[in-house]
Structure formats: C-alpha cells, structure tokens
Amino acid sequence: FAKCYALDPSVDTHQVSSISYIGAVDEAEKNKGLTVFEPGQKKTEKRKKIKGGEAGDMDNFLGPWAKYIDEKDSAKPSEEEQKELDEITAKRQKKGKNEEEAPAEEKTVLHVKDMYDYQGRSYLHVPQDVGINLRSADAPDKCYLPKKQIHVWSGHTKGVSAIRLFPSSGHLLLSSSMDCKIKVNNPSHSKAVRDICFNNSGTKFLSAAYDRYLKLWDTETGQCISRFTNRKVPYCVKFNPDEEKQSLFVAGMSDKKIVQWDVRSGEVVQEYDRHLGAVNTITFVDENRRFVSTSDDKSLRVWEWDIPVDFKYIAEPSMHSMPAVTLSPNGKWLACQSMDNQILIFGAQNRFRLNKKKVFKGHMVAGYACQVDFSPDMSYVVSGDADGKLNIWDWKTTKLYHRIKAHDKVCISALWHPHETSKVITCGWDGQIKLWD
C-alpha cells in the first residue's frame, strides 16, 4: 500500500482551488492524480479502434481480421472469369423464370409406319383377335402364374415410373418415365413424368410431371390438348370414371391438396384440403361416388365427390405411408403398399376397415412406391420390389407363391393383363418394360 493514494474527501474542491491527496502524496503528484480506471479506459478505446473504430461506427467495421487484409493481395476474378460468371448467373435466372412462366414445348414422334390401315382405322382400333373377353365385367375363368419373359420394350432411356393398359381391351400400353417422355407416340414434358391416366374410352390421357404441369393429350395424334397448373408438383392424377363426368379430373399435389379441374373451362372447380402431407394416391370406389386418398401424413381419407370435407379418416399409430393403392376387380378391396414392407387390405365399401387376415409380406419396398395389382379372377396379388423382383401371392392364403428376378433395378409396377390368363407386365428403374407369360 506504499504507493496507494486517493483524493482527500474532507476537502471541498468547489471552495479550494488546489487538489489535496491522502496516502502516498508524492506518488499522486508524480502521476498527476490519475486513477487506476483511467489507464484501463484508454486501453479499451485503443482496442475498439483496432477492431474498426468507434462503437457507433458499425458500417466501417471489418471484423477481427481487418488489419491483416490488403486489398491489393485479395483474390478477385479476372475480366474473362467475371464475364463467364455473369453468363452463368444470367442463364440460371432465365431458366428459373422460364420454368415459372411457361411449360416446355411438346414434341410428338410417330413410331408406326402408317397412321391408318386399309380400312381407315387407326392403331387405337381394338384388333379382333383381342376381343375374347370384352363384354362387360368379363374376366378369365382361371388365371395362371407367369413363368418366363416373352418380350421387352426398351424405348425409355431412364427409369419407368408408371404403366397403364388401354381401357377394356388392354391392347395398348401407356408408359411414363424419368426421361421426360410418355410412350404411345412420344409426347413429352420438360421434367420427369410421375403419373398417367387414360379416360374411359382411351382416346385421351392425362399426365402429371415434376415441371408442375398436368397435360391432356390426344392418344391417337399425340398432340397436347390442354395444360393445367397451380404452380405445385402433381403427384397423382385421375379422371372421374363416371361416364357423365369424364370432363372432370382430380390431382393430388405436393402442397397437401387434392385439386379438381374441369377440362372444358381449364379452371379449378374444387379443392379438397385436409391432408397434412403431399397426396400420393387417388382411387375411386363405391361406383365412383367416392374416392380414397393416401398421403405422406400416413393417413387414409375417404371423400364424397365434390364435397371438400372428408367423411372418413383412418390413421393409427402403427400405420406407415401408403404411396400405392389399387382397387380389386370386384370393387370390394383396396390393396395398399405400406412402407413397412407389407401390402395391407382395406374394405372399399362403407366402413373401410383394415382386414387383419389379409396381409402380404416377404418383399422389401421401404422407400419405393411399387404398384400393386390383382389377377382378373382374384386368385393372385402381384407387386414389384426394391430388388427388382416380381412377387406373386395367393389371395386366399396370403402365401408368397412365386418370385421372379424381373429387373436390374427397382421393379416399380406390375400389371396383370385383364383378358390374358397368365400375362403380367412389369416396368423398372432400369428403363425397361417386360411382358411375362
């Protein structure tokens, strides 16, 4: 304490001109009365100036490394590099703007030699040798397991996302792919096509793609008739199967909504907005008076047509997302591909209860929307899987009867031909479509 000092508190500085100290008076006069706080304050101010100036001058603050930065040494692009960067930025901005403003230009390539035969019939005309079971509700008396591959369609360059048979006859195959193409003729989208759907007569079909557009096509000519969009990605699309409502269709969207369009006006006429996740499937039931939807929210909802409030909601803690659903030929059951590697069966009439006795297992599909189908006589259930295999179960016993290595990659869809007793069509992410018999 020999060097400690302080102002004399007994002296009134307002009345006395001189300053008086107590303690080490000599040390106080030597330091001119500076306190221990004043040198520290100067040090703080010095630190602030090093960092970028006064505390209020934040605009000029360059950070703790400011004093090490030399503008002459800092890396800057050359004139050529800057020009190239500007071009890349401009292209990206233009591309994003164009995708929002207008759809890609459609192109059609006809792969048949002649548009019409000697009788003036197009390829849409059902051949006479296919008319074996075209009477209403006719189906083969007995179906048999396919055993070997008899044909391959390899026109797609990327994975096939969906296949659909021509209504009633099944003599034509419609396919969509990640190569942005739809094969019957070859109309196209600018991005991968997710879903396709024929109208009842097969003269037109709808496509849903990642370019955010739904498109209506003429099957015979391959021309795009109309385009529809709400600026969201459509995940699934379905015409209303009722003959009197063929001008209406619904699409499940990425923004959790089911949107209903009228193709005559091109306008949205209804929205079903109750799901909490992207809508994956739409399936019409009960003679087309209702439809069932599934979603990423792991629920199943049943809707009355044109009424935007679901009248049935099914969601259990044990339920998983069901991204593929198929109605049985007799209209009584819904086969739902569940992401826990099971095919679940729900009743399609009135109560829509889960049938706990009908659970099909033994395949691996977690993460893939592998389409399920029934044989026309309801003897078998078929599905692809993540390993590229075609799996066939017995409907009555739920036993896995047969397994075929169908594709090199995911087998995303399997369709049983409606009039052939043992023919199944599969498609996969290897870009191939195969016929089995």
Side-chain angles (χ1 to χ4, degrees):
F1 299 99
K3 295 183 179 181
C4 294
Y5 59 87
L7 292 173
D8 189 350
S10 63
V11 178
D12 189 351
T13 56
H14 292 90
Q15 298 178 0
V16 181
S17 59
S18 62
I19 300 174
S20 179
Y21 301 96
I22 58 173
V25 177
D26 294 339
E27 192 69 24
E29 292 176 350
K30 179 180 176 182
N31 293 330
K32 298 181 180 180
L34 289 176
T35 67
V36 293
F37 301 103
E38 289 172 322
Q41 186 178 0
K42 289 181 180 180
K43 188 177 180 181
T44 304
E45 289 175 357
K46 184 179 179 182
R47 185 165 61 247
K48 285 183 180 177
K49 288 181 180 179
I50 290 174
K51 286 189 175 181
E54 298 295 333
D57 189 16
M58 295 301 293
D59 294 335
N60 299 324
F61 179 65
L62 300 177
W65 298 97
K67 62 181 180 180
Y68 300 104
I69 298 175
D70 187 351
E71 291 186 1
K72 294 180 181 179
D73 298 332
S74 61
K76 290 185 178 180
S78 64
E79 291 184 6
E80 293 181 359
E81 291 173 337
Q82 187 62 48
K83 185 178 179 180
E84 187 177 350
L85 287 171
D86 292 340
E87 288 178 358
I88 293 171
T89 304
K91 284 181 180 179
R92 287 178 178 175
Q93 291 175 347
K94 184 178 180 181
K95 182 179 179 182
K97 187 176 180 182
N98 289 343
E99 286 179 356
E100 289 295 325
E101 289 180 353
E105 181 183 355
E106 295 83 14
K107 296 179 182 179
T108 301
V109 179
L110 187 65
H111 293 292
V112 294
K113 292 181 179 179
D114 298 309
M115 188 71 178
Y116 303 98
D117 64 10
Y118 69 98
Q119 292 184 346
R121 301 174 301 187
S122 75
Y123 65 91
L124 295 190
H125 181 78
V126 180
Q128 292 182 352
D129 59 349
V130 182
I132 49 175
N133 280 308
L134 294 185
R135 297 185 303 276
S136 61
D138 272 0
D141 294 331
K142 176 65 177 175
C143 290
Y144 302 92
L145 296 176
K147 296 180 180 178
K148 62 180 180 178
Q149 173 188 306
I150 61 174
H151 189 72
V152 178
W153 292 274
S154 54
H156 288 293
T157 58
K158 291 185 180 180
V160 180
S161 56
I163 49 176
R164 302 285 184 266
L165 285 168
F166 194 86
S168 300
S169 65
H171 77 290
L172 287 177
L173 183 68
L174 182 67
S175 63
S176 62
S177 169
M178 297 301 171
D179 63 7
C180 313
K181 296 177 181 178
I182 306 165
K183 291 283 185 178
V184 168
N185 305 59
N186 188 13
S188 63
H189 281 267
S190 63
K191 290 191 178 180
V193 183
R194 183 178 173 99
D195 197 18
I196 43 181
C197 176
F198 273 117
N199 66 354
N200 287 358
S201 62
T203 56
K204 298 175 184 176
F205 66 89
L206 285 162
S207 61
Y210 287 102
D211 62 4
R212 302 173 189 269
Y213 279 88
L214 294 130
K215 296 184 179 181
L216 178 66
W217 306 86
D218 184 291
T219 310
E220 185 175 333
T221 65
Q223 298 302 309
C224 181
I225 301 170
S226 303
R227 305 171 190 86
F228 313 88
T229 184
N230 68 345
R231 298 298 174 189
K232 304 297 179 182
V233 177
Y235 280 9
C236 58
V237 62
K238 285 287 187 301
F239 273 107
N240 186 316
D242 196 303
E243 286 294 342
E244 298 179 356
K245 296 184 177 71
Q246 284 283 279
S247 60
L248 300 171
F249 72 89
V250 284
M253 313 301 291
S254 60
D255 65 346
K256 313 171 189 177
K257 295 180 181 179
I258 299 170
V259 184
Q260 180 179 320
W261 269 277
D262 190 323
V263 299
R264 296 166 297 188
S265 64
E267 300 293 329
V268 173
V269 294
Q270 186 61 274
E271 284 189 351
Y272 307 83
D273 187 11
R274 301 280 283 181
H275 276 294
L276 304 176
V279 180
N280 295 318
T281 71
I282 297 173
T283 309
F284 282 86
V285 297
D286 192 19
E287 298 181 351
N288 309 321
R289 291 189 290 263
R290 300 169 177 171
F291 65 88
V292 177
S293 62
T294 61
S295 165
D296 284 346
D297 64 10
K298 303 179 182 179
S299 73
L300 183 150
R301 296 174 189 258
V302 187
W303 312 79
E304 297 278 359
W305 177 256
D306 220 16
I307 298 176
V309 179
D310 52 322
F311 88 94
K312 186 75 173 181
Y313 169 70
I314 301 173
E316 300 291 339
S318 60
M319 282 179 61
H320 289 69
S321 176
M322 298 180 290
V325 177
T326 302
L327 182 67
S328 66
N330 61 13
K332 294 181 179 180
W333 306 102
L334 287 168
C336 303
Q337 188 78 265
S338 178
M339 288 294 92
D340 59 349
N341 301 318
Q342 297 184 116
I343 297 174
L344 305 179
I345 304 297
F346 288 85
Q349 298 173 338
N350 299 323
R351 296 185 179 182
F352 297 91
R353 286 183 176 176
L354 175 66
N355 188 336
K356 295 182 180 180
K357 295 181 180 179
K358 298 284 186 183
V359 179
F360 300 88
K361 303 178 182 179
H363 64 321
M364 202 282 284
V365 291
Y368 302 96
C370 297
Q371 191 64 47
V372 187
D373 201 14
F374 295 84
S375 64
D377 65 349
M378 288 287 294
S379 294
Y380 305 106
V381 174
V382 293
S383 170
D385 65 18
D387 298 323
K389 294 176 182 176
L390 171 64
N391 301 271
I392 306 173
W393 292 267
D394 179 76
W395 168 253
K396 290 184 179 179
T397 65
T398 69
K399 177 185 176 182
L400 182 58
Y401 258 172
H402 198 40
R403 181 179 284 158
I404 302 171
K405 179 61 176 177
H407 295 270
D408 294 333
K409 295 182 180 179
V410 179
C411 179
I412 201 66
S413 186
L415 290 178
W416 204 299
H417 196 283
H419 307 298
E420 300 288 344
T421 58
S422 59
K423 288 185 178 178
V424 175
I425 304 167
T426 63
C427 68
W429 283 11
D430 56 3
Q432 294 188 331
I433 302 169
K434 297 183 179 182
L435 177 63
W436 304 84
D437 193 4

Short mmCIF file of all heavy atoms in Angstrom, two decimals, residues 296-320:
data_model
loop_
_atom_site.label_atom_id
_atom_site.label_comp_id
_atom_site.label_asym_id
_atom_site.label_seq_id
_atom_site.Cartn_x
_atom_site.Cartn_y
_atom_site.Cartn_z
N ASP A 296 -48.46 -38.55 -47.46
CA ASP A 296 -47.25 -38.66 -46.64
C ASP A 296 -47.55 -38.47 -45.16
O ASP A 296 -46.68 -38.74 -44.32
CB ASP A 296 -46.21 -37.62 -47.08
CG ASP A 296 -45.52 -38.00 -48.38
OD1 ASP A 296 -45.65 -39.17 -48.78
OD2 ASP A 296 -44.87 -37.14 -48.98
N ASP A 297 -48.75 -37.99 -44.82
CA ASP A 297 -49.11 -37.82 -43.41
C ASP A 297 -49.53 -39.15 -42.76
O ASP A 297 -50.00 -39.17 -41.63
CB ASP A 297 -50.21 -36.77 -43.24
CG ASP A 297 -51.53 -37.17 -43.91
OD1 ASP A 297 -51.67 -38.34 -44.34
OD2 ASP A 297 -52.42 -36.31 -44.02
N LYS A 298 -49.37 -40.27 -43.51
CA LYS A 298 -49.62 -41.64 -43.01
C LYS A 298 -51.09 -41.87 -42.68
O LYS A 298 -51.41 -42.64 -41.77
CB LYS A 298 -48.75 -41.93 -41.77
CG LYS A 298 -47.27 -41.78 -42.03
CD LYS A 298 -46.45 -42.07 -40.79
CE LYS A 298 -44.97 -41.86 -41.05
NZ LYS A 298 -44.14 -42.12 -39.86
N SER A 299 -51.96 -41.21 -43.42
CA SER A 299 -53.40 -41.40 -43.20
C SER A 299 -54.08 -41.83 -44.50
O SER A 299 -53.52 -41.69 -45.59
CB SER A 299 -54.04 -40.10 -42.69
OG SER A 299 -54.14 -39.15 -43.74
N LEU A 300 -55.28 -42.34 -44.34
CA LEU A 300 -56.16 -42.67 -45.46
C LEU A 300 -57.46 -41.91 -45.25
O LEU A 300 -58.05 -41.98 -44.17
CB LEU A 300 -56.39 -44.18 -45.52
CG LEU A 300 -57.23 -44.76 -46.66
CD1 LEU A 300 -56.76 -46.17 -47.01
CD2 LEU A 300 -58.72 -44.79 -46.32
N ARG A 301 -57.90 -41.18 -46.26
CA ARG A 301 -59.13 -40.39 -46.15
C ARG A 301 -60.08 -40.75 -47.27
O ARG A 301 -59.66 -41.00 -48.41
CB ARG A 301 -58.83 -38.89 -46.18
CG ARG A 301 -57.98 -38.41 -44.99
CD ARG A 301 -57.59 -36.94 -45.13
NE ARG A 301 -56.61 -36.55 -44.11
CZ ARG A 301 -56.90 -35.86 -43.00
NH1 ARG A 301 -58.14 -35.50 -42.76
NH2 ARG A 301 -55.96 -35.55 -42.14
N VAL A 302 -61.36 -40.76 -46.95
CA VAL A 302 -62.41 -41.07 -47.92
C VAL A 302 -63.25 -39.82 -48.12
O VAL A 302 -63.65 -39.15 -47.15
CB VAL A 302 -63.29 -42.23 -47.45
CG1 VAL A 302 -64.26 -42.64 -48.54
CG2 VAL A 302 -62.43 -43.42 -47.03
N TRP A 303 -63.52 -39.48 -49.40
CA TRP A 303 -64.24 -38.25 -49.74
C TRP A 303 -65.48 -38.56 -50.58
O TRP A 303 -65.46 -39.45 -51.43
CB TRP A 303 -63.34 -37.34 -50.58
CG TRP A 303 -61.96 -37.12 -50.05
CD1 TRP A 303 -60.90 -37.97 -50.16
CD2 TRP A 303 -61.48 -35.98 -49.34
NE1 TRP A 303 -59.79 -37.44 -49.56
CE2 TRP A 303 -60.11 -36.21 -49.06
CE3 TRP A 303 -62.06 -34.77 -48.94
CZ2 TRP A 303 -59.32 -35.29 -48.38
CZ3 TRP A 303 -61.27 -33.86 -48.26
CH2 TRP A 303 -59.92 -34.11 -47.98
N GLU A 304 -66.53 -37.82 -50.33
CA GLU A 304 -67.67 -37.79 -51.23
C GLU A 304 -67.31 -36.86 -52.39
O GLU A 304 -66.71 -35.80 -52.17
CB GLU A 304 -68.92 -37.27 -50.52
CG GLU A 304 -69.41 -38.12 -49.35
CD GLU A 304 -70.24 -39.29 -49.80
OE1 GLU A 304 -70.47 -39.44 -51.01
OE2 GLU A 304 -70.66 -40.07 -48.92
N TRP A 305 -67.66 -37.25 -53.61
CA TRP A 305 -67.31 -36.43 -54.76
C TRP A 305 -67.90 -35.02 -54.63
O TRP A 305 -69.07 -34.85 -54.31
CB TRP A 305 -67.81 -37.09 -56.05
CG TRP A 305 -67.55 -36.25 -57.27
CD1 TRP A 305 -68.46 -35.52 -57.96
CD2 TRP A 305 -66.29 -36.05 -57.91
NE1 TRP A 305 -67.84 -34.88 -59.00
CE2 TRP A 305 -66.51 -35.18 -59.00
CE3 TRP A 305 -65.00 -36.53 -57.67
CZ2 TRP A 305 -65.48 -34.78 -59.86
CZ3 TRP A 305 -63.98 -36.13 -58.52
CH2 TRP A 305 -64.22 -35.26 -59.59
N ASP A 306 -67.05 -34.05 -54.84
CA ASP A 306 -67.42 -32.63 -54.87
C ASP A 306 -67.73 -32.05 -53.49
O ASP A 306 -68.21 -30.92 -53.38
CB ASP A 306 -68.61 -32.37 -55.81
CG ASP A 306 -68.42 -31.09 -56.59
OD1 ASP A 306 -67.29 -30.57 -56.63
OD2 ASP A 306 -69.41 -30.59 -57.15
N ILE A 307 -67.47 -32.82 -52.42
CA ILE A 307 -67.65 -32.30 -51.05
C ILE A 307 -66.26 -32.21 -50.42
O ILE A 307 -65.60 -33.23 -50.20
CB ILE A 307 -68.57 -33.20 -50.21
CG1 ILE A 307 -69.96 -33.25 -50.84
CG2 ILE A 307 -68.64 -32.70 -48.77
CD1 ILE A 307 -70.92 -34.18 -50.15
N PRO A 308 -65.77 -31.01 -50.10
CA PRO A 308 -64.38 -30.82 -49.69
C PRO A 308 -64.05 -31.17 -48.24
O PRO A 308 -63.02 -30.76 -47.73
CB PRO A 308 -64.16 -29.32 -49.94
CG PRO A 308 -65.49 -28.70 -49.75
CD PRO A 308 -66.50 -29.72 -50.23
N VAL A 309 -64.92 -31.92 -47.58
CA VAL A 309 -64.65 -32.36 -46.20
C VAL A 309 -64.68 -33.89 -46.18
O VAL A 309 -65.66 -34.50 -46.61
CB VAL A 309 -65.69 -31.80 -45.21
CG1 VAL A 309 -65.39 -32.31 -43.81
CG2 VAL A 309 -65.71 -30.28 -45.24
N ASP A 310 -63.60 -34.52 -45.72
CA ASP A 310 -63.54 -35.97 -45.69
C ASP A 310 -64.55 -36.52 -44.69
O ASP A 310 -64.65 -36.03 -43.58
CB ASP A 310 -62.12 -36.45 -45.36
CG ASP A 310 -61.58 -35.80 -44.08
OD1 ASP A 310 -61.85 -34.62 -43.87
OD2 ASP A 310 -60.91 -36.50 -43.30
N PHE A 311 -65.28 -37.57 -45.11
CA PHE A 311 -66.25 -38.15 -44.19
C PHE A 311 -65.68 -39.36 -43.46
O PHE A 311 -66.29 -39.87 -42.51
CB PHE A 311 -67.55 -38.51 -44.94
CG PHE A 311 -67.55 -39.88 -45.55
CD1 PHE A 311 -68.08 -40.97 -44.87
CD2 PHE A 311 -67.03 -40.09 -46.82
CE1 PHE A 311 -68.10 -42.23 -45.44
CE2 PHE A 311 -67.05 -41.35 -47.40
CZ PHE A 311 -67.58 -42.42 -46.70
N LYS A 312 -64.49 -39.82 -43.87
CA LYS A 312 -63.85 -40.93 -43.18
C LYS A 312 -62.36 -40.66 -43.11
O LYS A 312 -61.72 -40.30 -44.10
CB LYS A 312 -64.10 -42.23 -43.95
CG LYS A 312 -63.59 -43.48 -43.24
CD LYS A 312 -64.48 -43.90 -42.08
CE LYS A 312 -64.07 -45.22 -41.48
NZ LYS A 312 -64.95 -45.64 -40.38
N TYR A 313 -61.80 -40.81 -41.90
CA TYR A 313 -60.37 -40.56 -41.67
C TYR A 313 -59.80 -41.75 -40.91
O TYR A 313 -60.28 -42.11 -39.84
CB TYR A 313 -60.20 -39.26 -40.86
CG TYR A 313 -58.81 -39.02 -40.35
CD1 TYR A 313 -57.77 -38.71 -41.20
CD2 TYR A 313 -58.53 -39.11 -38.98
CE1 TYR A 313 -56.47 -38.47 -40.72
CE2 TYR A 313 -57.25 -38.87 -38.48
CZ TYR A 313 -56.23 -38.56 -39.36
OH TYR A 313 -54.96 -38.33 -38.90
N ILE A 314 -58.78 -42.39 -41.52
CA ILE A 314 -58.16 -43.56 -40.89
C ILE A 314 -56.69 -43.27 -40.66
O ILE A 314 -55.93 -43.02 -41.61
CB ILE A 314 -58.32 -44.80 -41.78
CG1 ILE A 314 -59.80 -45.10 -42.03
CG2 ILE A 314 -57.64 -46.01 -41.15
CD1 ILE A 314 -60.05 -46.20 -43.03
N ALA A 315 -56.27 -43.30 -39.41
CA ALA A 315 -54.87 -43.09 -39.05
C ALA A 315 -54.61 -43.75 -37.71
O ALA A 315 -55.21 -43.38 -36.71
CB ALA A 315 -54.53 -41.61 -38.99
N GLU A 316 -53.73 -44.73 -37.70
CA GLU A 316 -53.35 -45.43 -36.48
C GLU A 316 -51.87 -45.19 -36.20
O GLU A 316 -51.08 -44.95 -37.11
CB GLU A 316 -53.61 -46.93 -36.63
CG GLU A 316 -55.06 -47.30 -36.91
CD GLU A 316 -55.97 -47.04 -35.71
OE1 GLU A 316 -55.43 -46.95 -34.57
OE2 GLU A 316 -57.18 -46.93 -35.90
N PRO A 317 -51.45 -45.25 -34.93
CA PRO A 317 -50.03 -45.05 -34.60
C PRO A 317 -49.10 -46.02 -35.32
O PRO A 317 -47.96 -45.68 -35.60
CB PRO A 317 -49.99 -45.28 -33.09
CG PRO A 317 -51.37 -44.99 -32.61
CD PRO A 317 -52.29 -45.42 -33.72
N SER A 318 -49.61 -47.20 -35.64
CA SER A 318 -48.78 -48.20 -36.30
C SER A 318 -48.75 -48.06 -37.82
O SER A 318 -47.97 -48.75 -38.49
CB SER A 318 -49.28 -49.61 -35.95
OG SER A 318 -50.63 -49.77 -36.38
N MET A 319 -49.56 -47.18 -38.36
CA MET A 319 -49.66 -47.04 -39.82
C MET A 319 -48.44 -46.33 -40.40
O MET A 319 -47.87 -45.44 -39.77
CB MET A 319 -50.94 -46.28 -40.22
CG MET A 319 -52.19 -47.12 -40.17
SD MET A 319 -53.69 -46.21 -40.60
CE MET A 319 -53.33 -45.70 -42.27
N HIS A 320 -48.06 -46.74 -41.61
CA HIS A 320 -47.00 -46.10 -42.36
C HIS A 320 -47.59 -45.44 -43.61
O HIS A 320 -48.76 -45.66 -43.95
CB HIS A 320 -45.93 -47.12 -42.77
CG HIS A 320 -45.10 -47.62 -41.63
ND1 HIS A 320 -45.63 -48.44 -40.65
CD2 HIS A 320 -43.80 -47.43 -41.30
CE1 HIS A 320 -44.67 -48.73 -39.77
NE2 HIS A 320 -43.55 -48.13 -40.15
#
